[in-house]
Amino acid sequence: MVIDLKKCTGCRTCVISCKVENGTQPGVFWNRVGIKEEGVFPNVRRIPVPVACQHCEDPPCVKVCPSKASIRREDGIVIIDEDKCIGCRYCMMACPYGARFFIDHLKNYFPNSITPFEKWHREKGWHKHTKGVCEKCDFCLHRVERGLKKGLKPGINGDATPKCVVDCPSKARYFGDLDDPTSEVSQLIRKYGGFRLLKEIGTNPSVYYLPP
Amino acid sequence: MLNTSTPTDDWVPTVCRMCFNGCGILVHRADGVIAGVQGNPSNPINYGRICIKGLASPMLIYDPNRVKKPLKRTNSEKGIGVDPKWKEISWDEALDTIAEHLRRIRKENPNKLAFLSIDHQTAHIMAVYAAAYGTKNLWFGGGAVQCGAGHHQVSHLLHASFLTIPDLNYCNYLIMAGSQFGFGSYCIPPYYGEKMAAARRRGMKLVVDPFLSASSAAKADEWLPIRPGTDAALALGWINTLVNDLKIYDKEYLRCYTNGPYLVKPDGYYFRLNGKPAVWDTSTDEPRPYDDVDHTKIALEGNFKVDEVNCSTAFECLREHVKKYTPKYVEQITTIPAPTIRRIAEEFGRAAMVGSTIVIDGKTLPYRPACLFYFKGAQGHKHSMLTSIALELVNAIVGAMDVPGGALGCNAYGPFWRPKEGPDGMLIPGIRMVPFPFPPRPARTPDSYTLFELFPIACDSSQMFVLGMLESERFRLPYKIEAMLHYFGNAMINTGNPKQVEAALKKIPFITSISLFIDETTEFADIVLPDTTFFERLDPFPNLPFDGFIPALLDQWVWQMRLPVVEPMYDTKPCMEILLELADRAGYLKDLLTVWNAVFLKEPYKVDPSKKYTWEELVDRWAKSRFGADKGLDWFKERQFIAWSKKVEEVYWRPFTKGRSHIYFEFFKKTGEDVKKVIEELCLEWDTSDYQPLPDWKPCLSHQVDNSVYDLYAINYKVVEHSTAGTLENPLLTEISQHSDRSLLIVLHPSAAKKRRIRDGDIIWVESVDGNKVRGKAKLSEGVHPEVVAIAGSHGKWAQGEPVAKGKGVQFNTLVPITLQYTDLVSCNEDLCIKVRVYR
């Protein structure tokens, strides 16, 4: 994934996009947007930085997981098997990007009632959201897999692409194959000098940022 | 891990209603439940993208706090915080009770009924209901606070359109004054968000001037933090630098497409021949009527002696008039350094490439890739009209007007209308759903509660309704308001100081609210009828309420139909159908259908006013009247929208259109004199000095406060996750606000905070010079002008019926008094910069 910080306006559409697609509960943000304020008046910059799971090539969360619930798939997507997760939260401690959330109890958006929307997501949505496990961004695996089955191309066809990429009002997000040097994402990284967060710690994220 | 079950689902196309824009969306309907929303990829309004508010919309329909049944008030006492003691009643009882009031009042004097709403998407229908009933009292509640009175009126005068947008396809240098256009606020965030980001990516320079580094300023190439309410001075400084210093101006545009060459006498009026404004013919050296000279021979500049009278061209008057706005003088007013003012003017002037052309679709057009765009922040002030004129004239000077790269009067030139030449050869819009300023209406003693008769060039004067109610004797209003029909809109929150709105509402004996929630305004209702959300109703053409307002697209025409996705929940009914039913029960259905015929329908689809029709039948006939026999409601149910490409001359219409734009506002003089006569008869204190033919910067009330204790300007701004006061009850959006570093807080500069021993996170008071005060949590930021306290949105709600929204954020409007002193008496905009003191 490539996120163009020049184009990103910090509107947080990606945050809600993710929540609505994946039915996450209050307080859980697989996508977040931080604002970095730099400088002194009137030379001030406010740079929005969207952060989610960086799908590292060398993911610390996978290394520390005692139950092998956190795994890195062959296609590079890091996922959590909720059935195997024992809720020890080592992965949360290990993740330098704060991308993981622990579900200590199930919560609803309106107190004392559950909306049909939330109920549907909990019972029939793409994610189970089980109490006592960790969860995080999986690059909308359900969309990618469904799309691939239909012969669609992730990053090109919306139905095979993570929802935050599809929804972004500024078209600041791109999705594609980093191993293919001709892909749009590879070209953007080369053209604009894409960089990765906390490069120095050697996690090798699969999420690149274009400079603001 | 993924669930493996496959739900039975489909995607239903319809129109979003989380803000006024109305993007095309697909609603994920799974097992009868709305499980998600996404942009409709085939709809050219948003091409599959969507904003944060649209995505959060499932929480609107499923909010357990919705009104579920008709309610009757049993506590006759009304007021903020007073429990109405609701009692559930049947639809029949509710409708019959309301109909009885409507029938009685209509017989006495239909003006005794007021309509209140701020739904842009059905405003055209509300106007028809009101006209059919016979009342002129339409309170477009919140219009002034949220919207751009001055902008719209100047847009009509210079661009023949309700709104002006920058041409992001070609613009290379964009100045944005007081706006976050393209950054999530105002016009179609998913459309202009993409255009703005792409333009910045390709190298368009963006200069912005708000007092707060919000989204637009955060991403700009240059931020010019300005003192609130001084944008006019900045614009006049730029115009002065361009025309007097750098001598950069578009002579061809000014001569052929504006009243720049019209001769002006020393008294400010045109010199006329045969009743027509005269210009100087350089081939014969004599004055001639403007339409009787070869345009290449018309003098744009100079002073001429005509019949022993010294006349100047209007452009010459402007050039002379702006001379006092030297960068140094402007620096004192705005706090922006003089060299910066000069540099930006020069960069803008050069970027406009005056004289250049471009070929688009085989047509050679003037190319002016520089634009100044302004909206709420710049002109939500006391002298809104003059400020808007000053700002828009920056574009006019370089000819960046309705040509590639410049400021575009959006949808001015349409498939069913086009701008025209009006009186004095001046440009007038081709459509007329909203009153526009030229030619002005006669000023009269008011007989509407919005005092509209005293605003002869305004589009709207809605918030004056509150003053009309509170001081009806002072304005000699000849009748009393006896009932109000209210739907969609929260005037208590959106209009100004709630105590004043409360007092006004308390004077109305019978109020009906058609509402989703018991919000702050609905709390004053006598009967509440439960409305549906946009997922549960059919609305015809919500995008083109004024046939030219929205969607403000650069490339496509789109007419959409809002289609119901699910059946109405609980015991609710769609508002438009309720109004239709009420017309029937109150005995004015026949008149309603007659007006419906006149406004929306053509033969052979007109209705027989003596019969009854369903809402679907009326919508079907409207669609057929517009698009032909084969494109009725059934067609729209299948396709949801109709779209086609705009022609070059529809987007860049200036070279294809006769009629001159105003750069000199001669008619203001006469209008001001007319208003003065009326107010003298009424013995009102009413300042008419802003009716002047050329713009000036004038201080707001807040600039004139002579009390050093009140040393900061409180000012309001918009946040992306909310639209007016209606979205704060949405827990997804409110959670976003709670995680934001600003939305619900009071932002002030560290230097201002230090002086007052305020630390980040302290609870502070903001108290206005008028004695109104609000409380909230302080947020210190370098990204705010040190003279400013910034408060976002229409937050700080208190209604019990919206528990998610209740108590979140700060109620800025509490600080805004609804008075003539805080109102621009030309455009009727409200002044939103308030002098305050801040303390712990």
Side-chain angles (χ1 to χ4, degrees):
Chain A
M1 184 178 285
V2 169
I3 300 173
D4 186 343
L5 294 182
K6 180 149 181 103
K7 283 184 161 187
C8 172
T9 65
C11 72
R12 296 180 173 85
T13 296
C14 49
V15 180
I16 294 289
S17 168
C18 174
K19 289 193 73 70
V20 173
E21 176 70 12
N22 295 302
T24 57
Q25 67 177 34
V28 174
F29 297 96
W30 295 1
N31 252 333
R32 298 160 5 249
V33 179
I35 304 274
K36 200 173 162 212
E37 193 172 290
E38 290 176 349
V40 176
F41 180 88
N43 302 309
V44 182
R45 287 188 90 190
R46 280 170 59 86
I47 304 163
V49 186
V51 183
C53 173
Q54 303 288 301
H55 297 278
C56 307
E57 270 175 53
D58 200 1
C61 54
V62 171
K63 273 191 219 155
V64 299
C65 178
S67 62
K68 303 266 184 291
S70 282
I71 51 168
R72 181 170 183 267
R73 290 159 42 109
E74 258 180 34
D75 58 10
I77 299 178
V78 177
I79 58 165
I80 304 171
D81 185 336
E82 287 171 37
D83 294 333
K84 288 188 183 163
C85 176
I86 55 169
C88 68
R89 286 171 267 182
Y90 287 2
C91 55
M92 283 177 76
M93 302 286 284
C95 175
Y97 306 101
R100 291 176 166 241
F101 290 81
F102 179 68
I103 310 298
D104 54 356
H105 63 282
L106 296 176
K107 276 181 255 179
N108 304 322
Y109 268 96
F110 293 99
N112 312 321
S113 70
I114 180 163
T115 62
F117 167 78
E118 290 164 295
K119 193 164 182 279
W120 185 89
H121 274 275
R122 206 161 287 166
E123 290 168 3
K124 300 190 176 168
W126 318 115
H127 289 274
K128 286 180 186 166
H129 303 299
T130 320
K131 183 181 164 181
V133 303
C134 280
E135 54 177 55
K136 66 163 194 76
C137 159
D138 62 358
F139 273 169
C140 282
L141 191 58
H142 58 285
R143 293 176 70 92
V144 175
E145 288 200 325
R146 245 186 334 180
L148 285 171
K149 251 182 232 164
K150 283 193 224 162
L152 303 175
K153 208 164 172 212
I156 307 275
N157 303 107
D159 287 347
T161 304
K163 188 72 173 354
C164 57
V165 177
V166 177
D167 288 340
C168 177
S170 303
K171 264 195 184 172
R173 289 171 171 259
Y174 303 84
F175 190 68
D177 187 356
L178 289 174
D179 292 335
D180 173 4
T182 65
S183 67
E184 189 183 24
V185 281
S186 299
Q187 289 184 34
L188 284 165
I189 292 165
R190 280 200 304 277
K191 187 171 175 192
Y192 295 111
F195 66 92
R196 299 189 273 187
L197 295 183
L198 304 178
K199 192 177 167 230
E200 62 281 8
I201 61 172
T203 49
N204 287 330
S206 303
V207 178
Y208 282 75
Y209 292 84
L210 305 185
Chain B
M1 187 53 66
L2 306 179
N3 277 350
T4 44
S5 61
T6 3
T8 54
D9 60 359
D10 54 359
W11 292 83
V12 188
T14 189
V15 186
C16 183
R17 210 303 165 214
M18 291 298 278
C19 80
F20 69 89
N21 282 297
C23 290
I25 53 170
L26 293 175
V27 180
H28 186 193
R29 184 172 59 185
D31 310 313
V33 172
I34 291 172
V37 172
Q38 73 169 55
N40 184 351
S42 62
N43 192 318
I45 293 182
N46 46 316
Y47 292 106
R49 294 182 297 277
I50 187 169
C51 85
I52 183 168
K53 300 178 280 288
L55 282 165
S57 57
M59 285 296 178
L60 174 71
I61 178 168
Y62 295 129
D63 190 325
N65 305 302
R66 275 178 66 178
V67 184
K68 301 181 182 79
K69 277 182 171 304
L71 302 171
K72 184 171 93 177
R73 161 181 225 103
T74 61
N75 182 1
S76 59
E77 195 199 331
K78 292 184 182 181
I80 294 174
V82 176
D83 181 359
K85 304 208 167 119
W86 300 113
K87 186 182 156 222
E88 285 185 4
I89 54 171
S90 72
W91 271 100
D92 269 331
E93 186 189 343
L95 291 172
D96 284 339
T97 310
I98 301 162
E100 201 184 302
H101 282 275
L102 294 180
R103 190 189 289 269
R104 175 184 52 81
I105 290 166
R106 192 161 186 256
K107 216 178 267 170
E108 291 168 15
N109 176 357
N111 286 319
K112 292 181 174 182
L113 174 74
F115 275 82
L116 164 63
S117 162
I118 190 184
D119 186 9
H120 299 70
Q121 297 192 357
T122 56
H124 48 333
I125 305 175
M126 177 172 90
V128 163
Y129 278 112
Y133 188 83
T135 179
K136 54 180 74 169
N137 288 305
L138 267 97
W139 177 11
F140 205 56
V145 176
Q146 304 291 345
C147 207
H151 173 101
H152 297 312
Q153 290 152 41
V154 171
S155 193
H156 275 136
L157 290 167
L158 276 83
H159 294 280
S161 168
F162 188 70
L163 57 95
T164 303
I165 48 163
D167 180 13
L168 293 175
N169 285 342
Y170 288 97
C171 187
N172 292 331
Y173 196 102
L174 176 63
I175 300 176
M176 289 219 296
S179 173
Q180 298 183 57
F181 179 88
F183 291 89
S185 291
Y186 197 35
C187 285
I188 329 175
Y191 182 85
Y192 283 106
E194 190 273 330
K195 294 246 178 244
M196 181 66 80
R200 290 191 299 108
R201 243 298 160 230
R202 73 171 158 76
M204 180 189 76
K205 178 159 180 176
L206 176 65
V207 179
V208 302
D209 84 341
F211 49 85
L212 179 77
S213 171
S215 0
S216 60
K219 305 301 291 187
D221 298 284
E222 193 158 349
W223 177 36
L224 312 175
I226 195 168
R227 177 179 288 150
T230 64
D231 298 68
L234 184 59
L236 292 163
W238 282 332
I239 294 171
N240 181 26
T241 308
L242 285 168
V243 299
N244 287 315
D245 194 3
L246 302 166
K247 311 260 187 291
I248 297 176
Y249 48 96
D250 189 338
K251 289 182 190 168
E252 188 65 13
Y253 169 76
L254 292 165
R255 177 168 38 226
C256 301
Y257 296 108
T258 74
N259 62 351
Y262 287 11
L263 293 173
V264 176
K265 295 183 291 176
D267 64 4
Y269 284 98
Y270 292 145
F271 177 79
R272 289 174 185 269
L273 288 170
N274 310 329
K276 291 177 177 176
V279 295
W280 191 260
D281 182 346
T282 56
S283 61
T284 57
D285 264 342
E286 59 176 359
R288 299 184 70 80
Y290 72 90
D291 55 354
D292 193 22
V293 194
D294 172 3
H295 74 91
T296 59
K297 301 288 187 289
I298 294 177
L300 172 67
E301 299 160 67
N303 305 305
F304 304 94
K305 201 156 205 173
V306 188
D307 296 346
E308 296 307 308
V309 177
N310 291 318
C311 291
S312 306
T313 65
F315 176 71
E316 198 64 52
C317 296
L318 172 66
R319 182 153 71 179
E320 196 56 37
H321 179 82
V322 296
K323 273 188 178 154
K324 63 175 175 282
Y325 293 95
T326 62
K328 216 167 181 179
Y329 173 54
V330 174
E331 175 179 339
Q332 287 167 21
I333 302 168
T334 61
T335 72
I336 296 170
T340 308
I341 295 166
R342 193 187 302 272
R343 175 175 55 79
I344 299 288
E346 181 159 7
E347 286 177 8
F348 180 85
R350 305 258 177 254
M353 298 173 70
V354 174
S356 64
T357 57
I358 187 171
V359 179
I360 301 176
D361 285 357
K363 294 194 165 90
T364 305
L365 305 163
Y367 176 53
R368 299 288 179 278
C371 179
L372 184 150
F373 175 79
Y374 66 99
F375 204 65
K376 188 72 221 176
Q379 51 87 52
H381 296 293
K382 170 70 182 168
H383 306 284
S384 176
M385 185 59 117
L386 295 179
T387 299
S388 302
I389 290 172
L391 289 159
E392 196 58 61
L393 283 182
V394 175
N395 294 318
I397 290 300
V398 297
M401 302 288 279
D402 308 298
V403 296
L408 305 179
C410 198
N411 297 350
Y413 192 121
F416 310 117
W417 65 87
R418 55 202 47 181
K420 295 181 283 220
E421 191 179 29
D424 290 346
M426 301 308 293
L427 185 73
I428 56 169
I431 41 172
R432 193 179 266 278
M433 280 301 274
V434 180
F436 47 76
F438 184 80
R441 302 173 295 276
R444 288 190 289 112
T445 306
D447 63 351
S448 62
Y449 270 69
T450 56
L451 313 181
F452 196 49
E453 295 77 9
L454 291 173
F455 292 91
I457 63 177
C459 298
D460 175 67
S461 61
S462 277
Q463 85 274 20
M464 286 294 107
F465 185 87
V466 175
L467 276 194
M469 285 305 297
L470 297 179
E471 301 176 51
S472 54
E473 288 83 20
R474 183 176 160 209
F475 298 111
R476 296 192 208 164
L477 290 163
Y479 54 90
K480 294 262 178 270
I481 295 290
E482 292 201 3
M484 189 166 82
L485 206 48
H486 156 237
Y487 79 91
F488 197 96
N490 193 343
M492 278 296 285
I493 290 287
N494 284 338
T495 309
N497 187 286
K499 284 269 170 212
Q500 283 177 280
V501 186
E502 175 194 28
L505 291 180
K506 280 170 86 167
K507 290 180 104 175
I508 303 175
F510 183 77
I511 298 176
T512 302
S513 280
I514 304 171
S515 190
L516 285 172
F517 299 98
I518 305 291
D519 60 28
E520 290 74 7
T521 306
T522 306
E523 277 185 344
F524 286 79
D526 293 273
I527 289 187
V528 183
L529 302 175
D531 197 2
T532 51
T533 64
F534 67 89
F535 293 111
E536 308 159 278
R537 64 178 194 242
L538 171 72
D539 286 336
F541 310 125
N543 283 99
L544 284 182
F546 312 119
D547 269 28
F549 174 26
I550 38 178
L553 305 179
L554 292 171
D555 48 1
Q556 296 270 321
W557 294 108
V558 187
W559 267 259
Q560 297 196 89
M561 189 68 72
R562 172 169 293 127
L563 301 170
V565 180
V566 291
E567 289 293 313
M569 289 182 72
Y570 319 114
D571 199 5
T572 63
K573 289 184 201 293
C575 176
M576 290 298 127
E577 294 181 46
I578 296 171
L579 290 175
L580 191 65
E581 176 69 23
L582 278 175
D584 188 23
R585 293 196 190 207
Y588 63 99
L589 183 62
K590 196 176 164 190
D591 297 308
L592 175 60
L593 294 178
T594 306
V595 182
W596 197 275
N597 268 340
V599 178
F600 299 132
L601 306 187
K602 283 185 199 150
E603 290 298 356
Y605 309 108
K606 295 209 176 199
V607 292
D608 175 354
S610 63
K611 290 189 180 156
K612 275 175 121 175
Y613 296 86
T614 63
W615 179 240
E616 285 213 351
E617 282 169 329
L618 292 179
V619 173
D620 179 56
R621 282 164 183 266
W622 186 354
K624 285 175 177 160
S625 297
R626 178 58 95 190
F627 297 108
D630 60 328
K631 293 195 179 59
L633 182 57
D634 286 340
W635 189 91
F636 278 95
K637 276 185 178 168
E638 213 166 284
R639 321 270 180 96
Q640 196 260 320
F641 68 90
I642 184 169
W644 65 93
S645 294
K646 284 187 171 181
K647 295 185 200 140
V648 174
E649 58 267 35
E650 290 173 338
V651 184
Y652 307 118
W653 51 269
R654 186 63 270 191
F656 307 95
T657 307
K658 264 186 105 175
R660 295 166 180 270
S661 293
H662 284 84
I663 65 162
Y664 182 87
F665 300 77
E666 189 233 17
F667 72 98
F668 275 35
K669 275 189 79 75
K670 173 78 169 54
T671 306
E673 286 162 18
D674 288 353
V675 175
K676 201 168 183 179
K677 260 182 234 153
V678 177
I679 55 158
E680 275 169 4
E681 280 164 26
L682 292 170
C683 306
L684 287 176
E685 264 182 56
W686 188 289
D687 182 14
T688 55
S689 61
D690 274 11
Y691 287 101
Q692 57 181 60
L694 288 168
D696 270 309
W697 172 77
K698 298 181 184 183
C700 298
L701 219 59
S702 56
H703 299 126
Q704 300 170 74
V705 169
D706 189 21
N707 183 339
S708 60
V709 176
Y710 298 88
D711 55 352
L712 292 171
Y713 298 95
I715 187 110
N716 185 242
Y717 66 102
K718 292 175 185 171
V719 287
V720 179
E721 70 268 25
H722 293 295
S723 170
T724 67
T727 49
L728 206 68
E729 170 62 17
N730 187 308
L732 279 167
L733 297 176
T734 297
E735 188 182 30
I736 289 287
S737 298
Q738 286 172 311
H739 281 83
S740 149
D741 69 338
R742 280 181 174 175
S743 290
L744 303 176
L745 311 175
I746 299 172
V747 183
L748 72 165
H749 192 264
S751 64
K754 199 176 167 191
K755 257 189 238 165
R756 296 159 180 81
R757 296 190 188 162
I758 292 169
R759 286 157 309 180
D760 204 73
D762 280 354
I763 300 297
I764 57 172
W765 286 98
V766 177
E767 184 180 327
S768 79
V769 71
D770 311 291
N772 301 312
K773 56 183 183 175
V774 292
R775 211 165 82 110
K777 199 185 262 188
K779 171 70 196 175
L780 311 191
S781 167
E782 287 288 342
V784 64
H785 196 290
E787 296 176 6
V788 164
V789 253
I791 298 172
S794 292
H795 302 162
K797 298 176 71 169
W798 58 82
Q800 304 285 350
E802 293 188 309
V804 176
K806 191 184 167 202
K808 309 265 176 14
V810 181
Q811 230 271 322
F812 176 80
N813 284 340
T814 296
L815 302 173
V816 183
I818 305 166
T819 64
L820 297 181
Q821 289 73 32
Y822 277 98
T823 304
D824 176 19
L825 295 174
V826 182
S827 72
C828 203
N829 215 337
E830 267 176 303
D831 192 351
L832 298 184
C833 60
I834 312 292
K835 212 67 190 281
V836 294
R837 67 189 182 115
V838 175
Y839 53 90
R840 277 195 297 171

